[in-house]
Amino acid sequence: MNISDSLKLFNFFFNRYSDDTRLNKNGQIRFYNFWDTQLPHEMWFTRFIQHHKLNSNYSAKINFYSVLGPAETLKYRRKGLNIFFSGENMHDERFDEYRLACEKKPFDLSIGFDGDNFGSNIRFPLWILYLFEPESTYEDIKVKVGRLSKKSADNRVRFCSLVASHDWNGIRTEIMDSLQSIDIVSSGGKFRQNTNELYTTYNDNKHEFLKQFKFNICPENSNAEGYITEKIFQSIEAGCIPVYWGANNRPEPEILNQDAIFCWNQGKDNTNLLNVINDLTMDENKYIDFASQQRFLPHAAEVIWSYFETLEQKMRYLTTQ
């Protein structure tokens, strides 16, 4: 090992130790390359583990890794259980280095949106962390799904919203420009912002901002079968009709009513879709009829609960070996 490699390794372990001290001091459950807005005891996975007492007979560390930091972090393993989680599309070229690190040295458990790569892997998409508390029971999920499935369509006086920070693949620009031919699209985020009320009126509360609008543009950052983030669920939770792109235009087909979602075909002729949206905008009764559809399928709660059960069973197995 030459001097340059030695310095690189020293800097890596020094930074890793610094992160450990800052975010993970004295904790059994530790997080690396995760969100830095939460402390370890506040994390969704910590609460899930503690609620199910998955660490009650497990004395070693439980280390979680993600992609919100250097890919180099994924190349090293700590003592104890090592778990990888990402809500991102790991097949996207932006995450090549992270994916290769996972494939070269698989984790004890890998959690993501697809559930068929990186060795020991289960499907647990990011949107679950946004929509449900980690302590949720089946009844909790059933009640919330029922409440979200049929939202009031009344008193929606504004046309369409968009909240985004970027548009690296051009899909948001394409949809926004097309819908602007019908009426004003209010963009409250950093990308093409034309209103600041998300921050000045709603204190950066996306849910309260979206509640004013009939439609919401909510595409993914990239397209892959099964890759669905929180965006479409935030749209539904706010009572908007989603204008969606991603997941090969089949967002959670076992959970969501596809007839209650408008899917945009990137780079293709969307004239028919635009005509339907225009008709709903011009005719309040048609809009209410469409917006009043059940958003979730009848067995949605069972499917969602199965994700909770699978995660618990897999982690219980790993912590009792």
Side-chain angles (χ1 to χ4, degrees):
M1 180 181 293
N2 58 38
I3 295 176
S4 176
D5 289 337
S6 298
L7 286 173
K8 185 183 295 184
L9 192 61
F10 171 80
N11 287 332
F12 168 75
F13 279 103
F14 175 78
N15 290 332
R16 187 179 69 167
Y17 176 78
S18 298
D19 288 343
D20 184 23
T21 302
R22 181 171 57 88
L23 291 176
N24 298 318
K25 188 175 182 180
N26 300 324
Q28 180 193 16
I29 306 171
R30 302 189 173 196
F31 294 86
Y32 304 91
N33 285 7
F34 257 74
W35 299 284
D36 59 7
T37 56
Q38 291 180 305
L39 294 174
H41 70 276
E42 300 170 329
M43 296 285 192
W44 197 98
F45 288 108
T46 298
R47 291 168 56 193
F48 184 88
I49 289 168
Q50 293 176 342
H51 175 72
H52 291 284
K53 297 179 172 60
L54 298 173
N55 59 335
S56 58
N57 296 313
Y58 188 77
S59 58
K61 298 289 187 293
I62 302 176
N63 306 297
F64 281 88
Y65 304 76
S66 192
V67 298
L68 303 179
E72 195 76 13
T73 303
L74 304 185
K75 298 178 182 179
Y76 300 90
R77 299 290 182 271
R78 294 160 175 82
K79 291 182 179 179
L81 188 60
N82 291 282
I83 301 171
F84 177 77
F85 168 77
S86 177
E88 301 292 346
N89 177 9
M90 295 298 293
H91 305 290
D92 187 275
E93 61 183 8
R94 294 176 300 158
F95 298 98
D96 281 350
E97 192 176 358
Y98 298 92
R99 186 182 69 255
L100 291 172
C102 292
E103 291 173 343
K104 187 174 182 179
K105 190 173 184 180
F107 286 84
D108 298 309
L109 176 63
S110 207
I111 305 168
F113 78 89
D114 51 357
D116 60 2
N117 289 293
F118 316 120
S120 182
N121 201 353
I122 61 173
R123 184 168 196 267
F124 203 84
L126 176 66
W127 59 263
I128 293 178
L129 278 64
Y130 281 80
L131 209 61
F132 300 101
E133 298 296 329
E135 300 85 6
S136 296
T137 64
Y138 168 68
E139 285 302 319
D140 293 332
I141 293 172
K142 190 174 181 179
V143 168
K144 186 161 188 179
V145 165
R147 177 166 55 83
L148 296 180
S149 189
K150 197 171 182 64
K151 300 287 287 187
S152 173
D154 297 336
N155 302 318
R156 301 271 170 155
V157 297
R158 301 179 69 177
F159 171 55
C160 184
S161 59
L162 169 65
V163 177
S165 58
H166 65 83
D167 186 33
W168 71 271
N169 62 3
I171 186 64
R172 293 176 176 90
T173 297
E174 182 178 320
I175 300 174
M176 183 176 179
D177 286 347
S178 297
L179 264 63
Q180 294 255 65
S181 66
I182 299 174
D183 203 343
I184 296 172
V185 175
S186 299
S187 180
K190 294 179 181 178
F191 169 68
R192 291 183 66 173
Q193 186 183 77
N194 55 21
T195 175
N196 63 0
E197 61 188 297
L198 172 62
Y199 307 101
T200 59
T201 304
Y202 297 99
N203 195 30
D204 202 19
N205 188 319
K206 182 179 179 180
H207 178 75
E208 291 300 316
F209 175 70
L210 296 186
K211 279 168 58 176
Q212 309 171 78
F213 298 92
K214 295 180 178 181
F215 305 92
N216 172 242
I217 299 171
C218 53
E220 304 294 355
N221 292 329
S222 59
N223 182 48
E225 183 71 29
Y227 172 58
I228 301 101
T229 63
E230 77 284 0
K231 298 175 182 67
I232 190 170
F233 287 92
Q234 290 176 332
S235 180
I236 291 171
E237 189 170 22
C240 304
I241 298 174
V243 183
Y244 182 79
W245 172 88
N248 291 334
N249 281 351
R250 296 178 65 251
E252 299 293 359
E254 293 186 348
I255 293 173
L256 296 177
N257 175 13
Q258 306 296 293
D259 293 334
I261 301 164
F262 287 132
C263 287
W264 188 264
N265 293 300
Q266 186 177 26
K268 298 181 179 179
D269 185 0
N270 288 277
T271 301
N272 290 337
L273 175 57
L274 291 170
N275 287 339
V276 172
I277 294 175
N278 184 64
D279 286 345
L280 298 185
T281 303
M282 301 300 292
D283 190 322
E284 186 68 15
N285 290 328
K286 286 184 179 180
Y287 162 74
I288 291 176
D289 286 343
F290 188 96
S292 297
Q293 296 179 87
Q294 295 284 334
R295 306 298 183 92
F296 288 77
L297 296 176
H299 57 280
E302 286 82 356
V303 176
I304 297 167
W305 177 242
S306 72
Y307 290 139
F308 277 74
E309 288 186 309
T310 300
L311 179 61
E312 180 191 354
Q313 291 165 7
K314 187 66 175 179
M315 291 202 64
R316 192 173 298 282
Y317 171 79
L318 290 171
T319 54
T320 53
Q321 296 307 297

